[in-house]
Amino acid sequence: MARVRCITEMGMGVDVHGKDSTKAARRAVSDAIRHSSLGFFRMVGKTSADMFVDVTIGVPDPSTVDTAAVAKELPYGTVTVSAVKGGLEIPAESGGDSIIIANAAVVVSLDDGKAG
């Protein structure tokens, strides 16, 4: 089996107060998929359950992302989420709170149906 990339979506999410990387990551995934409607599955003999959805989240501190919570933003498919160093942290002027900006890449693939 080989996966064929069908869709790549990008998104950005922000947590303005609280330094919550998971909240920013969930918002980034929501942003990435919000304007998509994948209607081509029937044409290729597949359903939304056949999708493989690979999500990469970029945040300043990847260890603070709850990847299981982020995966719940995706309604279909076999979902994997990984967090990597990226995004942006903007410190508050007072030095207390920060703004966390997360970037998401959501890649949807299908099995090509060929024996490997």
Side-chain angles (χ1 to χ4, degrees):
M1 164 185 102
R3 291 186 187 182
V4 177
R5 182 184 293 194
C6 301
I7 305 286
T8 303
E9 295 281 353
M10 286 72 58
M12 183 194 76
V14 179
D15 181 38
V16 178
H17 297 288
K19 295 178 68 171
D20 188 333
S21 294
T22 299
K23 183 185 285 186
R26 291 178 67 192
R27 289 175 175 172
V29 169
S30 178
D31 179 53
I33 67 169
R34 181 170 292 138
H35 304 289
S36 297
S37 177
L38 307 180
F40 67 90
F41 293 111
R42 290 182 302 280
M43 184 177 67
V44 296
K46 304 281 185 179
T47 70
S48 58
D50 296 314
M51 292 190 308
F52 294 95
V53 184
D54 297 300
V55 179
T56 304
I57 299 293
V59 291
D61 185 358
S63 69
T64 62
V65 176
D66 179 347
T67 56
V70 175
K72 290 179 182 177
E73 293 296 314
L74 285 302
Y76 305 110
T78 301
V79 179
T80 58
V81 177
S82 62
V84 299
K85 188 145 181 71
L88 188 62
E89 181 174 352
I90 303 169
E93 290 178 7
S94 64
D97 205 4
S98 293
I99 297 170
I100 300 294
I101 301 174
N103 296 106
V106 179
V107 176
V108 176
S109 303
L110 294 171
D111 177 351
D112 68 1
K114 299 175 184 173

